[in-house]
Amino acid sequence: MKKDLRAPTDALDKRPGFYLLKDLAIQSTTYGDGGRRDELYMDSGRIESAARLNGSIDDPALRHMLSVTSDFRKLVHSIGISISAENPAATFTFSMIHYGHTDPYVSGTHAVMELPANGVEQVMLMDAVDWSDDDNLMGQFAVGFPRDTDFATLNVRIYVRDGYDVPAEEPETPVDFESDAYKAMIAKSLIQAGNTTRMRRAIEKARNGEDVTIAYIGGSITQGAGAVPINSECYAWQSFVRFRDAFAANPEKLHYVKAGIGGTSSELGVVRYDEQVTDNGKIKPDVVIVEFAVNDAGDETEGHCYEGLVRKIWNGPGTPAVILLFSVFADDYTLQDRFIPYGKLAGLPMVSLKNAVVDQFNLTPEKGRILSRSQYFYDSYHPSNMGHIIMADCLKYYFDTVAATAACSSADSAVVPELPVHWSADFEDVRFFDRRTIESVVLNLKTGCFTGTDTNIQSVQRNFDRELTPMFPHNWMYSGSSCPAGTPAEPFEFDITCRLLMIIQKDSAASDAGKIYVYVDDRLARTFNPRDIGWTHSNALIILREGEKARHHIRIETDAGKNYTILGFASC
C-alpha cells in the first residue's frame, strides 16, 4: 500500500520555516528516458546555499544539517511545496531524492508526491517517508511536468522540528532597472575596455547591414542554467538581442552561436572551440564572449588552457573580438583575479559581475542595496532570470562604451597587436578528434574491447534550442561485457606524433564505472577515475605535454568487468 506523504486535512500547528526555493521559474526538459522534468540539484553545498540565499539562514551548522540525510531527518519536520502554472488544473509530480552510499542515484530515498498547479501549498511529512537504510546525502528535487505544460513557478519551504528556530522572512524590494543607482552598478562591471579595434569593426559591420556573428563559449551559465526559458532568457541571447537592437541595420544578418557546457572548464573549451563554435572554420565569428571564471578550478593547468583558448579564438577564423566575462557564484567565488593580469597584459576587454553586484548585496535597501542575492541567483551557482538580465546589461554597457569610443583613443590603435604570452601558448593549436576522424590523425589503431558507442552522455541546449543535444556522441565505450568472460580487457592502442595529447573522458557516478591506465611508450603516465567528479560529465585531461613533437605509442587499459567511455582526444 502506497504511503500518503501529505499532511493531514486538519490544520498543522504553525511551525518555524523558511524558503529553500522561492518563486523559482522552472521548465521542462525532455530526457533520454522520455521523461519531461526539471532537475534541481541540491548536492555539493547547493542546499546550504539555497537556505542562505532564500531563507536567510546564517547559521552554518544549521545549513549543513540539510546536506546529510541523517541530520536532515533530525531537523526537517515537513516540506511545503507549491506549483503555479498557466493551467491550474495541471498535475505535477514532486520528488525529493536523497543519494545513497552504494549507488547515488538509485539506492537512496525517492519520495514522490503529486500536486496541482494551483499555487496552493501541499505539505510532505518527513515522518511519512519510507526512508532508505542506504541514504547518504540530500541529492535533488525533481519536478515532473504534464505533457501540455512547459513552464511553472515553484516554491519549497522547509518546516523545522521542535527545538530549532529560524529567522523571520524579510520582504524584498523590486529592482528599478531605470534608476541611476542600477546604471551605476552596471557601469562598475567594466574592468577595462581594452583595445576596441575589433569590437568597433563588428559594430560598424552591423550598422552597415553586413553579416555579423556573435558567439559565446563557457560553462553552465553560458548554457543558460537558471534562465527560464533557457534559450530566450539566458544572458547570451539577451545580450545578443541588445547588440542587435542597438546596432543591426538588418537584424536578419546577425547570427548567434551559443556553446556552453555545464561543469566544464577552459581545458575542454580549448578542445571543442573549433568544432562547436566555428564548425571547423565554416563559421567566422566577429565577437566571442569567453565565460570560464567560475568553472576553471577544473583546469589542471591553472590558466594555460584559458590562454590557449583565447589565443585560438583571437588568431582563428574571423579574427574576432574577444571579451573576457567573469561570472560569480553566490558565495562570491570567482577566478577573475587569476585572469585579470592576463587580460591587462593582452589589452582585452574584461567584464566582471562580482565588481558589479557583490558589494551592494551586503547593504540594506536604505543604505543603497539595488537587489538581493536571492534576486540575482537561481541557486548557489547560477543566475536567475534577473541575474541573466544583469549579465546582459553589463555586456551592453561594454558595447555602448565601445560605440562611443573614438577610432584612435589612447587605449586603441589601428593595428591590432599580437597577443603576448602570459602563461603559455602550448594549447592554442590543439585539435579534437573522435571516432569519425581518428584514423586521419593516428597510426596502427587498435580499439580492443572499446567497441561500443555510449548514448548516456552529457547533453546540453545549443544555440537557441530548448531541446538537448548530446555532446561527443562519436565515442568508444568499453563495458563489462565487451570482451569474452574470463578474458582480460583488450587495450585501446595507437601511435601518434605530437607534443601534446589530451583525452576526453565521460565522468560518471555509477558504481560500475572503472578506471583507465594510460601508458605512453610502455610507461604508465596517468590513471584516470571517472568517478572523481561524480556525475555524467565531459572532462578533458592531459596525457602528455612536451616541448617538441615526437612519435609515441599510446596504450589505454581499463578495469575488467567495469565500464569506461572515451569521448575523444585532442593533440598538437
Side-chain angles (χ1 to χ4, degrees), residues 91-331:
T91 299
F92 287 71
T93 59
F94 178 87
S95 301
M96 178 189 69
I97 301 171
H98 287 251
Y99 291 161
H101 288 279
T102 305
D103 189 327
Y105 301 139
V106 176
S107 62
T109 294
H110 289 229
V112 183
M113 187 170 75
E114 291 188 349
L115 66 165
N118 59 8
V120 176
E121 184 178 86
Q122 304 288 319
V123 177
M124 179 187 286
L125 292 172
M126 296 300 98
D127 287 344
V129 170
D130 187 12
W131 294 95
S132 167
D133 293 336
D134 197 52
D135 278 326
N136 182 20
L137 302 171
M138 177 62 200
Q140 62 175 277
F141 300 129
V143 180
F145 279 70
R147 289 289 166 191
D148 59 351
T149 305
D150 291 327
F151 305 104
T153 301
L154 172 69
N155 286 285
V156 175
R157 287 179 67 92
I158 297 292
Y159 294 103
V160 297
R161 295 185 185 272
D162 295 341
Y164 296 97
D165 289 317
V166 295
E169 180 185 355
E170 292 185 12
E172 291 180 336
T173 304
V175 177
D176 183 355
F177 294 100
E178 300 301 321
S179 69
D180 290 340
Y182 178 83
K183 294 172 184 176
M185 180 187 75
I186 296 299
K188 288 176 64 178
S189 69
L190 186 58
I191 297 174
Q192 70 176 26
N195 186 299
T196 62
T197 300
R198 292 188 178 188
M199 191 69 218
R200 284 190 291 103
R201 181 184 65 190
I203 291 172
E204 288 305 309
K205 286 177 67 176
R207 284 171 167 167
N208 292 334
E210 301 175 44
D211 286 292
V212 173
T213 297
I214 302 179
Y216 301 78
I217 186 168
S220 57
I221 295 175
T222 295
Q223 184 182 334
V228 180
I230 194 169
N231 60 336
S232 61
E233 296 301 318
C234 64
Y235 89 84
W237 179 255
Q238 288 291 318
S239 61
F240 173 83
V241 168
R242 284 158 172 72
F243 182 95
R244 182 191 66 193
D245 292 348
F247 306 118
N250 184 351
E252 293 184 1
K253 292 285 189 176
L254 209 64
H255 311 289
Y256 172 70
V257 177
K258 185 185 75 172
I261 300 182
T264 64
S265 70
S266 60
E267 190 166 358
L268 184 65
V270 72
V271 167
R272 64 187 177 86
Y273 177 79
D274 294 319
E275 180 163 299
Q276 296 182 1
V277 175
T278 73
D279 192 14
N280 294 310
K282 295 175 185 175
I283 297 172
K284 297 177 172 56
D286 297 273
V287 181
V288 179
I289 290 90
V290 178
E291 181 269 317
F292 282 111
V294 293
N295 281 59
D296 253 29
D299 169 21
E300 59 188 323
T301 69
E302 297 185 347
H304 296 216
C305 284
Y306 186 88
E307 180 170 8
L309 172 62
V310 172
R311 295 180 66 85
K312 178 187 284 285
I313 298 168
W314 184 265
N315 295 319
T319 58
V322 181
I323 302 170
L324 309 185
L325 178 62
F326 305 143
S327 44
V328 66
F329 283 162
D331 62 359

Side-chain angles (χ1 to χ4, degrees), residues 372-390:
S372 66
R373 288 183 194 271
S374 62
Q375 288 172 304
Y376 182 87
F377 287 101
Y378 176 90
D379 57 22
S380 54
Y381 302 128
H382 307 111
S384 63
N385 279 7
M386 185 178 295
H388 279 275
I389 286 171
I390 290 168

Side-chain angles (χ1 to χ4, degrees), residues 6 37 66 130 155 168 185 229 256 258 270 277 330 344 375 418 421 426 510 517 520 542 564:
R6 296 171 299 172
R37 59 186 178 271
L66 295 166
D130 187 12
N155 286 285
M185 180 187 75
Y256 172 70
K258 185 185 75 172
V270 72
V277 175
K344 288 186 178 295
Q375 288 172 304
E418 292 291 322
V421 174
D426 283 359
Y517 311 89
V520 178
I542 298 168
Y564 188 89

Side-chain angles (χ1 to χ4, degrees), residues 305-557:
C305 284
Y306 186 88
E307 180 170 8
L309 172 62
V310 172
R311 295 180 66 85
K312 178 187 284 285
I313 298 168
W314 184 265
N315 295 319
T319 58
V322 181
I323 302 170
L324 309 185
L325 178 62
F326 305 143
S327 44
V328 66
F329 283 162
D331 62 359
D332 303 344
Y333 172 84
T334 177
L335 283 171
Q336 68 179 41
D337 289 344
R338 173 188 289 178
F339 301 129
I340 286 173
Y342 170 61
K344 288 186 178 295
L345 177 67
L348 295 172
M350 293 183 283
V351 175
S352 164
L353 274 300
K354 179 178 181 178
N355 289 14
V357 301
V358 165
D359 286 345
Q360 61 87 48
F361 282 153
N362 298 317
L363 303 175
T364 63
E366 295 75 22
K367 294 291 186 179
R369 190 180 75 200
I370 296 144
L371 78 159
S372 66
R373 288 183 194 271
S374 62
Q375 288 172 304
Y376 182 87
F377 287 101
Y378 176 90
D379 57 22
S380 54
Y381 302 128
H382 307 111
S384 63
N385 279 7
M386 185 178 295
H388 279 275
I389 286 171
I390 290 168
M391 292 184 71
D393 283 346
C394 290
L395 287 171
K396 175 62 162 51
Y397 180 80
Y398 167 69
F399 300 154
D400 290 343
T401 299
V402 173
T405 301
C408 293
S409 71
S410 59
D412 211 347
S413 65
V415 178
V416 177
E418 292 291 322
L419 288 184
V421 174
H422 180 59
W423 291 294
S424 167
D426 283 359
F427 293 85
E428 177 181 350
D429 297 322
V430 296
R431 293 292 182 269
F432 172 74
F433 56 95
D434 59 11
R435 196 168 193 145
R436 298 165 299 173
T437 54
I438 188 170
E439 293 191 77
S440 65
V441 180
V442 310
L443 298 172
N444 304 319
L445 174 66
K446 298 177 183 177
T447 59
C449 286
F450 290 78
T451 55
T453 299
D454 197 344
T455 57
N456 181 25
I457 54 178
Q458 188 174 17
S459 299
V460 304
Q461 297 90 350
R462 291 291 316 278
N463 303 323
F464 196 67
D465 298 339
R466 279 194 57 225
E467 298 307 315
L468 297 169
T469 297
M471 297 291 98
F472 309 108
H474 307 286
N475 54 63
W476 300 270
M477 180 176 67
Y478 167 79
S479 65
S481 59
S482 294
C483 288
T487 64
E490 295 177 13
F492 191 108
E493 297 183 81
F494 57 83
D495 295 318
I496 186 170
T497 299
C498 63
R499 60 174 179 80
L500 178 70
L501 180 64
M502 304 169 74
I503 187 171
I504 298 87
Q505 76 171 8
K506 171 192 167 181
D507 291 327
S508 174
S511 58
D512 58 0
K515 299 176 184 177
I516 61 163
Y517 311 89
V518 183
Y519 293 82
V520 178
D521 302 324
D522 295 322
R523 176 183 61 85
L524 180 62
R526 299 283 308 261
T527 298
F528 298 124
N529 185 350
R531 299 191 69 193
D532 285 344
I533 299 296
W535 59 292
T536 302
H537 170 264
S538 309
N539 198 358
L541 298 157
I542 298 168
I543 292 175
L544 68 88
R545 182 182 181 186
E546 299 176 341
E548 301 292 334
K549 284 189 175 184
R551 180 162 172 162
H552 298 282
H553 180 69
I554 308 299
R555 185 174 82 255
I556 300 171
E557 298 180 355

